């Protein structure tokens, strides 16, 4: 029973990683654009906060 539980647990973990990898490969370009835009917004917010304090 313990071997079966281990196999089910490891199999589920492996399938989850595989699923995340497939989604990441499939949606790489939109994810990259989203990340670049989010990073730019963060930099703009940070630069505005520095200017406001000075």
């Amino acid at each position: 029973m313990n071997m079966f539980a281990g196999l089910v647990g490891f199999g589920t973990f492996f399938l989850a990683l595989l699923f995340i990898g497939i989604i990441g490969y499939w949606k790489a370009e939109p994810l990259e654009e989203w990340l670049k835009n989010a990073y730019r917004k963060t930099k703009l917010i940070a630069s505005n906060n520095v200017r406001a304090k000075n």
Side-chain angles (χ1 to χ4, degrees), residues 37-51:
N37 290 335
Y39 181 68
R40 284 188 197 121
K41 288 178 185 176
T42 303
K43 282 179 64 175
L44 288 174
I45 291 170
S47 64
N48 288 337
N49 287 341
V50 169
R51 289 183 194 145

Side-chain angles (χ1 to χ4, degrees), residues 2-14:
N2 286 338
M3 290 292 286
F4 181 70
L7 181 63
V8 169
F10 180 75
T12 304
F13 174 73
F14 180 78

Side-chain angles (χ1 to χ4, degrees), residues 19-31:
F19 184 70
I20 290 168
I22 289 171
I23 296 295
Y25 182 77
W26 177 43
K27 295 288 186 178
E29 290 181 19
L31 286 171

